[in-house]
Each structure stands twice: as C-alpha cells, then as structure tokens.
Amino acid sequence: MASHMKSTSSTVTSSLILPEQRVLAVSDMTVRFANSERTVDAVRNLSFHVDRGETLAIVGESGSGKSVTSLALMRLVEHGGGKIVNGSAALRRRNGQVLDVVKAGNATMRDVRGADVAMINSGALRFDDVMPAGPITRHMIEGIFLFADETRAVTFPITGERLRALLENGVSITGLGSGPYPQVSGVQFAFDARRPSGARLVGDLRRGDGRLLAGTDTVRLTLVTYPACRGGDGYKVPEAQAVCKALEANPTSAPRTADLVIRHLESMNGRIVPPPVGRVTRLDR
C-alpha cells in the first residue's frame, strides 16, 4: 500500500493534538515483516485520517496491505511477526483522550480493544480431535463453535469480586472438567479442587501482566452469550443485562467468537504461537 493514499491534512504532532472532529489520524506508517531470509514492508509511508461520522473504505488487490493496516491499528499485527517501524496513529478514545496506538503498551491496547479480561465456558468448544500439522481452515474453526449465536461475545463492566464468583462457578464440582470450566485471558488465578465448591480459588486474582486485581476494581469482561445472557452452565451474570437486552434488539451486533478466533489466526500471518502459561494454576496436583 503506497503513499498515494496520503492525506493532505496536517500530520500528527508529537503532542498528539487532533482537530475536534478527528477520530483517527495515521501519519507516515510503515509495517514491516522480517525473518532470516528477507524483509518486506507490507505497508509503506501510509497516511490518512477519519473524522467523526465518516466511513473510510480501503480498497486494493489481494496482498496490497488492507488487512495489515487494520491489524496494525489494533496492534495485532505483532502476533504475526509484523512490526510498525515508522509513523504514528493518533486515536481519539470515547473519553476524549488522544492516544498514539503505535507507542501504547499492551495493557493500554487491551483496554482500547474493549476488554480487560476474556472468558469462555468450555461447553462452547465442541472439538475432541487433535488438529494435524498443516493449514487451519475456516471450516475447522467453525466446527469448534457449533452454536454460533450462543457464542457471540458481549463485553460489560464487572468488579473483581464478581469476576471471582464467576470463576468459582467454573471450577466448582459441577464445573471442573465440564461445560462451565473457564478458558480465560487477561487474568491469572489458582484453585484447589480439594476445597469445597465456592471456595476453591486460592490467593488473589492477578491481571494478565501480573498486577493485583482487587475485589473493588472494575474491569471490562468479554463473555459469550450462553452464560452471560441465558444463565447457561450455572452462571448468573446480572452485569450483562444491558448488553444482552441490546443484543436481543439487534442479534448480529455482537461478534461471533468463531470470527474473532479466525481474525486472530489471520493476524498471526501463518505463525501459530502458543499462549502464555500460568493463567490457571491447579494446586491439588
């Protein structure tokens, strides 16, 4: 994607001042993929801006850098071995704060993308086979999430104390090794299955970066609709009531988990990286 897309508007300054109507301003951005054999600039010296109420369509032939641009703005391109090596991308957040997403840390970007913690009940994953080495197809991913509408992802605020209660449900005597058991991201916890249900978590909850997640803290949790909106697998989540009501009015407003997984795999550019260990520690083994 070449520099002919450059906007004639003013570039982003070091103080990250945007005109009042501007939501996003990308200036001179270059995204590079490098390995031992070669280096490729998938996007080079790209500049554009988007104002409030505008819709920008990026078009081009396959391989022109459309997807790389989107993934770079979400800072997901790094999962696929890419790196933003030049330029800036000033984003005006909903609270009015202007942020350069190129320089933002991982914790900040998780907040920008909409959730601090993500959780999915194991019952949503219907796959007992081992995927052989080789290409992962869309059909394979769709086969894991057989209940597309019940695995749409909704995001809502919840306290650390209430998040702990949800995790307790997931590792209870009825949850452990069954449908309620939680697969998590952005949170670390330990549990002991020898303890009674409802009191199996041991010690503090920790955020993905290791910081304490206190009971009085509020985080944004992404959870699939079966437990969040329907009380499936024994989960009771009144905090999700508002987003679930909005979903009833517009059933496609929440993304399908299958699509989120596919988008993540695409961002890895064919290079599958195992997730970090230590998110869940079982103490009775």
PDB file of all heavy atoms in Angstrom, residues 140 183 241:
ATOM      1  N   MET A 140     -12.630 -25.722   9.847  1.00  0.00           N
ATOM      2  CA  MET A 140     -12.193 -26.348  11.093  1.00  0.00           C
ATOM      3  C   MET A 140     -12.567 -25.487  12.293  1.00  0.00           C
ATOM      4  O   MET A 140     -13.024 -25.995  13.329  1.00  0.00           O
ATOM      5  CB  MET A 140     -10.681 -26.595  11.041  1.00  0.00           C
ATOM      6  CG  MET A 140     -10.271 -27.629  10.004  1.00  0.00           C
ATOM      7  SD  MET A 140      -8.487 -27.601   9.644  1.00  0.00           S
ATOM      8  CE  MET A 140      -7.820 -28.257  11.160  1.00  0.00           C
ATOM      9  N   GLN A 183     -12.121 -20.974  30.163  1.00  0.00           N
ATOM     10  CA  GLN A 183     -10.890 -20.666  29.438  1.00  0.00           C
ATOM     11  C   GLN A 183     -10.757 -19.144  29.500  1.00  0.00           C
ATOM     12  O   GLN A 183     -11.697 -18.435  29.141  1.00  0.00           O
ATOM     13  CB  GLN A 183     -10.973 -21.143  27.992  1.00  0.00           C
ATOM     14  CG  GLN A 183     -11.382 -22.604  27.816  1.00  0.00           C
ATOM     15  CD  GLN A 183     -10.330 -23.578  28.317  1.00  0.00           C
ATOM     16  OE1 GLN A 183      -9.148 -23.239  28.367  1.00  0.00           O
ATOM     17  NE2 GLN A 183     -10.749 -24.777  28.683  1.00  0.00           N
ATOM     18  N   GLN A 241     -26.875  -7.650  31.790  1.00  0.00           N
ATOM     19  CA  GLN A 241     -28.275  -7.467  31.405  1.00  0.00           C
ATOM     20  C   GLN A 241     -28.454  -6.426  30.306  1.00  0.00           C
ATOM     21  O   GLN A 241     -29.186  -6.649  29.333  1.00  0.00           O
ATOM     22  CB  GLN A 241     -29.110  -7.088  32.628  1.00  0.00           C
ATOM     23  CG  GLN A 241     -30.597  -6.966  32.329  1.00  0.00           C
ATOM     24  CD  GLN A 241     -31.408  -6.687  33.594  1.00  0.00           C
ATOM     25  OE1 GLN A 241     -30.844  -6.545  34.678  1.00  0.00           O
ATOM     26  NE2 GLN A 241     -32.714  -6.601  33.451  1.00  0.00           N
TER      27      GLN A 241
END
